[in-house]
Amino acid sequence: MAAARLLQAGVPRFRCLGSLGKAAPSTSQLSSRLFGTLLAPEANQQVDPTVIRRKLITEPLRHPDFFNVKELFSLKELFDARVHLGHKKGCRHRFMEPYIFGCRLDQDIIDLDQTMKHLQLALNFTAHVAYRKGIILFINRNRQFGHLVEVTARDCGEYAHTRYWQGGLLTNAHVQYGSGIRLPDLLIFISTLNNVFEPHVAIRDAAKMNIPTVGVVDTNCNPSIITYPVPGNDDSPLAVELYCKLFKMTITRAKNKRKQMEALYGLQNKADSS
Amino acid sequence: MGCPCVVLNTLRLIYTTTAVQKRNVAALGPEKYTEAFIKNQIEEFNLGKRHLANMMGEDPETFTQEDIDKAIVYLFPSGLFEKRARPVMKHPTEIFPKQRAIQWGEDHRPFHFLFYTGKQSFYSLMHEIYGKLLDIQKYQDHLRAQGLLAENRKQINLIGSRWLIKEELEDMLVEKLTDHDYSTCIQLLERLVTLPCCGIEEEYVLKFRKELAIQLKKMVIESLQYDEQGVAFSTGEGKRKTSQATAVVYDNGSGKITVNGVDYLCYFPVMQDREQLMFPFQFLDRLGIHDMVCTVSGGGRSSQAGAIRLASARALCSFITENEVEFLRQAGLLTPDPRIRERKKPGQEGARRKFTWKKR
């Protein structure tokens, strides 16, 4: 019912990517918040490529955690990486109050149970986007971790932007880059604030261009417009290394899974299927 | 009754255009040359070069660019004053400006991982340099842990070279840079160079250095020559305003000075000019030691005296030590005086003098 509607909404978007269309994707909420029934993958004997392609795309959507991202991290790992440490009470953002466990000696502690849930959703979503060969853009404006984020992006085969954000990058792309440009399908913020401790312009631009965002929000950040916020520390080196490692693993895992599925369904995928 | 039919007929005759939207030519940007097009042009150029060589009766294999230029000037004589408007036949890489190819593949995914920053080559350069900086720091920590840091210091020698200027960096990256970007890049390179073990990345850093031309045109001090009697002598040349002088200074003399075959007392009746001639010798306390024979032409009495002074000082350099040459230079005896007569301007009486100002 709702799943079928979503699938019909999802498929046309990726089919028209091949033609030189505008790079304005419709909202594809491929979230696993919809818990469908667990179906075993059928052995597909059909030769028709469109049906195979549809199967490739719809198969992962039937499972809540198709890529098994839950096993990539545990509560202990998050705690050891100091993900639960927030900023001082005075820096607290009003909208982060639901995610805060408590306050100890004026320092906010983030609720790691909620972080686990949100992180699982976010990683699952990234995996689905990477499975569908979407373009993922890592954004971070913290100078301490800029190099690390760029290296992570390069190792995944995805893209990074850790420099000064030119105003019209997303909203004025056709003028800046030329026609035929394909915009990112997902933005991942390792830190949602820029150098002057204000929300990064890309959050608002992505919302304007209907691009989903995943972001690590600290206690002084605004989580409202981000599609998949992940409450957690964005200032400790250990925490940031953990996030980079997790995103890299999910993306590589999703891409390998895609290759496996293609080999499984015996389809030579050269063109613009997603 | 007839009216509506007439109206309908006239309506049908109205001409309507089918063009919906005019292509905005200006918005496309400068014309893009595809790789295939450039390759085509290069093949055509090579063929044309061989044809031209055959036409001129030369060997096609050894036909250089200068020969091409001469042949074109011969075959297509042009009276145009603007050199750039004349017919030219050069290799296509020199004619068509270097451009970026399309940055994404068939599936529209960009090739470079920093494509979405806008300045991909510049930021990837910064990324690379920073990566090398981190590598050097790791290597240093490794050495320090083993206690070998003090011996293995390797610095890069930067003397005699300068950093690339902004235009050169832009050419290297095929991308426009701002001043701020350029200064950040140079600051990062400077930071890399200050590390004790930066010698590991020496060849990478030297890619961004350019050798300076010979800094100062070092004055060539000629050695002494000896004439038939075995007397040491040396020649020097000097100029001042419009006078030119050559002086030959002999050793073992008695302070005799001959100018244009005449004794200096007769040639320069004014005391001031004779003082000018004396100055180099007096400065070095060699007044009665040297003889001088000089020839001078052009200018007036004062400028001739100045020219001879410079010529004799230059000739004297061969007789004295390096330190004394430095003293001469600091005294201003070796510097040619650059002042020349300023031209008269229209609307004024002289070079500076204006006409008399009348109030009414």
Side-chain angles (χ1 to χ4, degrees):
Chain A
M1 15 114 221
R5 235 192 312 121
L6 256 185
L7 300 177
Q8 273 153 27
V11 167
R13 173 207 165 186
F14 292 101
R15 234 198 253 153
C16 79
L17 262 178
S19 57
L20 220 67
K22 295 169 271 200
S26 52
T27 34
S28 52
Q29 290 293 339
L30 322 153
S31 68
S32 58
R33 288 178 191 159
L34 276 183
F35 291 90
T37 49
L38 280 167
L39 291 172
E42 307 142 15
N44 203 340
Q45 305 297 328
Q46 287 159 341
V47 187
D48 190 12
T50 34
V51 177
I52 294 176
R53 216 178 287 150
R54 198 171 296 191
K55 265 241 158 344
L56 257 178
I57 293 169
T58 57
E59 190 49 52
L61 295 175
R62 293 178 211 261
H63 311 262
D65 196 1
F66 186 68
F67 302 98
N68 203 2
V69 293
K70 272 205 262 277
E71 64 170 20
L72 291 175
F73 59 96
S74 68
L75 197 82
K76 180 147 194 333
E77 264 180 56
L78 292 184
F79 184 83
D80 288 334
R82 305 197 264 275
V83 165
H84 59 289
L85 300 175
H87 289 277
K88 292 280 189 183
K89 192 162 73 175
C91 296
R92 193 193 299 169
H93 193 98
R94 199 177 140 187
F95 296 153
M96 287 300 288
E97 276 161 22
Y99 302 118
I100 291 176
F101 182 73
C103 190
R104 164 86 175 149
L105 292 174
D106 256 15
Q107 187 179 12
D108 287 330
I109 308 293
I110 299 170
D111 189 359
L112 281 182
D113 294 318
Q114 293 189 53
T115 305
M116 291 272 285
K117 274 196 289 222
H118 283 89
L119 191 58
Q120 197 257 318
L121 295 171
L123 288 176
N124 190 34
F125 182 66
T126 6
H128 279 274
V129 172
Y131 179 87
R132 291 187 173 216
K133 299 196 184 160
I135 294 183
I136 299 180
L137 185 61
F138 285 83
I139 300 182
N140 178 49
R141 203 54 178 107
N142 193 337
R143 285 176 63 129
Q144 202 180 357
F145 308 117
H147 188 80
L148 175 65
V149 168
E150 283 180 344
V151 167
T152 317
R154 196 175 52 190
D155 293 339
C156 300
E158 299 294 342
Y159 307 86
H161 186 107
T162 58
R163 310 284 174 173
Y164 177 74
W165 181 272
Q166 281 171 320
L169 251 175
L170 292 179
T171 44
N172 206 17
H174 287 288
V175 168
Q176 284 200 328
Y177 295 113
S179 51
I181 172 118
R182 183 175 152 186
L183 287 180
D185 301 306
L186 172 67
L187 301 192
I188 301 185
F189 289 88
I190 306 290
S191 158
T192 44
L193 300 180
N194 59 16
N195 282 357
V196 262
F197 299 106
E198 279 169 2
H200 202 291
V201 177
I203 305 176
R204 187 203 67 188
D205 281 353
K208 280 191 187 177
M209 301 298 290
N210 286 342
I211 300 173
T213 41
V214 165
V216 176
V217 281
D218 207 346
T219 47
N220 55 355
C221 309
N222 184 359
S224 31
I225 313 186
I226 303 171
T227 340
Y228 290 93
V230 177
N233 189 4
D234 61 4
D235 298 301
S236 298
L238 266 180
V240 171
E241 276 165 17
L242 177 76
Y243 299 134
C244 289
K245 188 183 78 165
L246 287 175
F247 282 118
K248 187 159 77 169
M249 290 201 320
T250 35
I251 292 170
T252 30
R253 197 180 262 210
K255 287 185 173 172
N256 291 339
K257 192 81 186 198
R258 171 70 184 225
K259 288 201 193 95
Q260 269 178 25
M261 297 285 272
E262 280 173 2
L264 192 67
Y265 289 125
L267 183 66
Q268 296 275 316
N269 228 9
K270 268 175 241 164
D272 35 58
S273 70
S274 336
Chain B
M1 272 252 293
C3 288
C5 302
V6 169
V7 166
L8 278 170
N9 284 341
T10 49
L11 274 174
R12 229 174 274 140
L13 281 172
I14 289 169
Y15 176 68
T16 50
T17 57
T18 44
V20 180
Q21 205 180 33
K22 281 220 175 117
R23 195 173 68 153
N24 191 352
V25 183
L28 289 174
E31 200 186 320
K32 299 227 169 41
Y33 303 112
T34 52
E35 271 194 49
F37 173 78
I38 300 272
K39 232 169 78 169
N40 218 5
Q41 293 291 314
I42 294 177
E43 277 166 22
E44 280 183 18
F45 172 78
N46 287 329
L47 271 178
K49 197 164 93 164
R50 296 187 76 88
H51 278 305
L52 191 64
N54 284 328
M55 270 195 269
M56 301 299 289
E58 306 269 350
D59 179 20
E61 305 299 327
T62 57
F63 206 56
T64 59
Q65 186 59 45
E66 284 120 26
D67 298 327
I68 297 178
D69 293 332
K70 279 190 228 160
I72 296 289
V73 165
Y74 172 71
L75 291 170
F76 302 101
S78 160
L80 296 171
F81 285 117
E82 178 66 57
K83 293 262 174 18
R84 288 178 291 181
R86 293 184 183 172
V88 85
M89 180 166 163
K90 286 204 187 306
H91 194 82
T93 43
E94 290 169 41
I95 298 182
F96 297 106
K98 264 201 290 188
Q99 272 174 355
R100 289 277 194 69
I102 302 288
Q103 302 290 330
W104 48 80
E106 266 185 16
D107 57 351
H108 290 270
R109 282 184 75 110
F111 294 130
H112 202 276
F113 77 107
L114 289 176
F115 169 76
Y116 288 105
T117 54
K119 297 183 213 171
Q120 62 177 51
S121 11
F122 172 68
Y123 286 134
S124 76
L125 178 76
M126 294 288 279
H127 175 82
E128 228 184 294
I129 300 172
Y130 191 72
K132 296 210 183 276
L133 196 125
L134 290 176
D135 287 338
I136 297 175
Q137 281 177 344
K138 236 194 305 190
Y139 177 70
Q140 274 175 226
D141 293 336
H142 178 71
L143 283 183
R144 204 178 287 128
Q146 294 175 347
L148 299 168
L149 184 63
E151 298 100 47
N152 292 34
R153 280 167 189 270
K154 265 195 294 179
Q155 300 272 58
I156 306 177
N157 186 18
L158 298 171
I159 301 174
S161 54
R162 59 163 174 83
W163 293 117
L164 291 178
I165 52 172
K166 189 173 136 197
E167 279 75 23
E168 288 165 0
L169 200 58
E170 281 182 353
D171 286 329
M172 203 167 100
L173 299 173
V174 195
E175 212 171 48
K176 285 258 163 278
L177 298 177
T178 59
D179 291 331
H180 179 73
D181 290 335
Y182 170 71
S183 57
T184 35
C185 184
I186 296 296
Q187 274 169 16
L188 189 61
L189 284 166
E190 295 273 2
R191 191 177 148 198
L192 193 137
V193 159
T194 46
L195 295 175
C197 289
C198 56
I200 315 166
E201 307 291 351
E202 181 165 351
E203 49 175 280
Y204 184 77
V205 172
L206 287 178
K207 270 193 251 175
F208 300 99
R209 296 289 287 193
K210 200 161 175 198
E211 293 294 325
L212 283 168
I214 314 164
Q215 275 151 339
L216 300 154
K217 198 180 80 176
K218 280 220 115 184
M219 210 179 83
V220 179
I221 306 173
E222 286 178 7
S223 50
L224 294 170
Q225 295 157 41
Y226 294 88
D227 67 359
E228 299 93 36
Q229 274 85 39
V231 178
F233 73 95
S234 148
T235 25
E237 283 182 3
K239 277 197 221 185
R240 171 91 213 277
K241 269 194 193 172
T242 39
S243 315
Q244 284 139 34
T246 34
V248 187
V249 175
Y250 293 91
D251 210 356
N252 297 342
S254 56
K256 203 159 65 110
I257 302 178
T258 317
V259 186
N260 281 359
V262 180
D263 192 36
Y264 72 114
L265 206 50
C266 305
Y267 198 84
F268 293 118
V270 182
M271 181 60 172
Q272 178 198 339
D273 304 333
R274 292 199 295 270
E275 272 180 359
Q276 289 288 298
L277 293 198
M278 231 175 36
F279 185 22
F281 301 98
Q282 185 200 10
F283 186 81
L284 298 166
D285 296 324
R286 284 167 179 250
L287 273 170
I289 305 176
H290 294 286
D291 261 353
M292 190 160 73
V293 176
C294 31
T295 47
V296 66
S297 62
R301 60 151 233 268
S302 178
S303 64
Q304 281 186 346
I308 300 174
R309 183 184 107 171
L310 180 61
S312 58
R314 283 187 177 155
L316 269 179
C317 287
S318 318
F319 289 92
I320 53 173
T321 58
E322 290 267 341
N323 288 341
E324 294 194 297
V325 172
E326 186 59 27
F327 292 147
L328 271 186
R329 194 187 67 84
Q330 292 202 346
L333 279 162
L334 296 175
T335 327
D337 200 332
R339 299 178 288 176
I340 52 166
R341 195 178 135 264
E342 197 176 314
R343 71 162 272 198
K344 175 200 175 306
K345 285 107 190 172
Q348 294 174 1
E349 197 165 316
R352 300 284 172 106
R353 158 120 177 101
K354 321 281 187 285
F355 290 123
T356 314
W357 179 71
K358 297 207 176 77
K359 200 163 179 179
R360 48 185 75 80

